Amino acid sequence: MLVGVDLGLPHFDAELEELGLLAESAGLSPVARLTCKRRAPDAALFVGSGKADEIKALAVASGAQEVLFDQALSPAQQRNLERHLALPVNDRTLLILEIFAQRARSHEGKLQVELARLQYLSTRLVRRWTHLERQSGGIGLRGGPGETQIELDRRMIGESIKRIKERLQRVQRQRQTQRRQRERRDAFNISLVGYTNAGKSTLFNSLVKARTYAADQLFATLDTTTRQLYLGDVGRLVSLSDTVGFIRDLPHGLVDAFQATLQEAVDADLLLHVVDCASPNHPEQIEQVQRVLAEIGAQNIEQVLVFNKVDALAPQRQPISQVDGYDWQGQPVDRVWISARTGQGLDALRRVLSQKVKQVQSTQLGSDDPRFIPHGEEVGP
Ligand SMILES: Nc1nc2c(ncn2[C@@H]2O[C@H](COP(=O)(O)OP(=O)(O)OP(=O)(O)O)[C@@H](O)[C@H]2O)c(=O)[nH]1
Ligand SMILES: [Mg+2]
């Protein structure tokens, strides 16, 4: 059962559409939805006790086995609600962590998710980390007499966090070497960024003819994939990276844990910001993506906005021209309208990319640099 509490903050999702998508992406099926208004969260139950009774009645009537809140609950609120409702209660943050945990494929991705999850759990006293006890086998973990279970759990989590951090650092050192090697090859790096489900992987696949996993679920991609892309107009190869999608209120632990993966975006020479223009929420999603980009220090990297899924737009909302400008806080940003699914607009996108590569390079390199390509000059393949 999905519950949303309108606290008068912007971006309240009255239909709980995104929470529903997140739940489905985690393999759950929403059976009931309930929203209510409150001026401020109740310290003990987040909602009032009357509302909590209402939630319980609807949960029982609909046969719900778990209650998911769209807003972040404090450990105490979560615990009290679970007692009150006699059902497991989780929030959006844990749901996102859960999806990341299910999706992580690479060694590094798994470590990053585990770290974020442990950091989240370490603030909660309810025991939800039984898998840890299995992993560590319990040897050497038994403290002196009188040590309470919770102290034991805390110590176990603390030690696991330390261990995972060390392993992560080792993996990341290797990655940095790889990144440096790529820099040495003078690659021009383009990263696909955007809200989750915008169509980044679909576009990546149609641009480089790869077969990266694309699916109608949130966070289908967690690991960065990079392929070479040939741009005929400038006669050169660039490297294109598909990255993890962003979402509003991305759990903080995840931003930290995924710093290395997100670093891919920071290291790019150009960002292709993919937008699902058929989504009624796309202006808000653009804003959220820009916010995360600023958070990871990528706000000054040149961007091209790619308005994807034009095939899903009603006839009266179809763009007048394939390439135009989008006003982002008073700054015009180049925008290309495409459909990664039908291939519409991809040629225009390649042309814009070529222009951008020339433009960014000429600002990056002095004109005496042999790699410098003057504006408008044709270069054979
Ligand atoms: N109608 C339409 N659907 C599209 C288009 N491009 C992608 N999709 C669909 O949108 C969904 C998400 O596509 P993905 O490419 O996985 O999106 P993503 O941005 O990589 O998503 P995450 O990796 O989850 O962040 C899939 O069901 C795609 O088939 C398009 O041009 N038109
Ligand atoms: Mg993807």
Side-chain angles (χ1 to χ4, degrees), residues 200-201 213-214 220-221 242-243:
K200 299 176 293 298
S201 299
Y213 182 56
T221 308
D242 183 20
T243 64

Coordinates of all heavy atoms in Angstrom, one line a residue, residues 200-201 213-214 220-221 242-243, ligand 2:
K200 N 17.9 7.0 -21.8 CA 19.3 7.1 -22.0 C 19.9 5.9 -22.7 O 20.6 6.0 -23.7 CB 20.0 7.4 -20.7 CG 19.6 8.7 -20.0 CD 20.3 8.8 -18.6 CE 19.9 7.8 -17.6 NZ 18.4 7.9 -17.3
S201 N 19.5 4.7 -22.1 CA 20.1 3.5 -22.6 C 19.6 3.2 -24.1 O 20.3 2.7 -24.9 CB 19.8 2.3 -21.7 OG 20.3 2.5 -20.5
Y213 N 21.1 -2.9 -21.5 CA 19.8 -3.2 -21.0 C 18.9 -1.9 -20.9 O 19.3 -1.0 -20.2 CB 20.0 -3.9 -19.6 CG 18.7 -4.2 -18.9 CD1 17.8 -5.1 -19.6 CD2 18.4 -3.8 -17.7 CE1 16.6 -5.5 -18.9 CE2 17.2 -4.2 -17.0 CZ 16.3 -5.0 -17.7 OH 15.2 -5.4 -17.1
A214 N 17.8 -1.9 -21.6 CA 16.9 -0.8 -21.5 C 15.6 -1.4 -21.1 O 15.1 -2.4 -21.7 CB 16.8 0.0 -22.8
A220 N 17.1 1.0 -14.5 CA 17.5 -0.1 -15.2 C 19.0 -0.2 -15.3 O 19.6 -1.3 -15.3 CB 16.8 -0.1 -16.6
T221 N 19.6 1.0 -15.4 CA 21.1 1.0 -15.6 C 21.7 1.5 -14.3 O 21.3 2.5 -13.7 CB 21.5 2.1 -16.6 OG1 20.8 1.8 -17.8 CG2 23.0 2.1 -16.9
D242 N 26.9 5.7 -21.1 CA 25.6 5.6 -20.5 C 25.7 5.5 -19.0 O 26.6 4.7 -18.5 CB 24.9 4.3 -21.1 CG 23.5 4.2 -20.6 OD1 22.9 5.2 -20.3 OD2 22.9 3.1 -20.6
T243 N 25.0 6.3 -18.3 CA 25.2 6.3 -16.8 C 23.9 6.0 -16.1 O 22.8 5.9 -16.6 CB 25.7 7.7 -16.4 OG1 24.7 8.7 -16.6 CG2 27.0 8.1 -17.1
Ligands
MG2 MG 19.4 3.0 -18.6

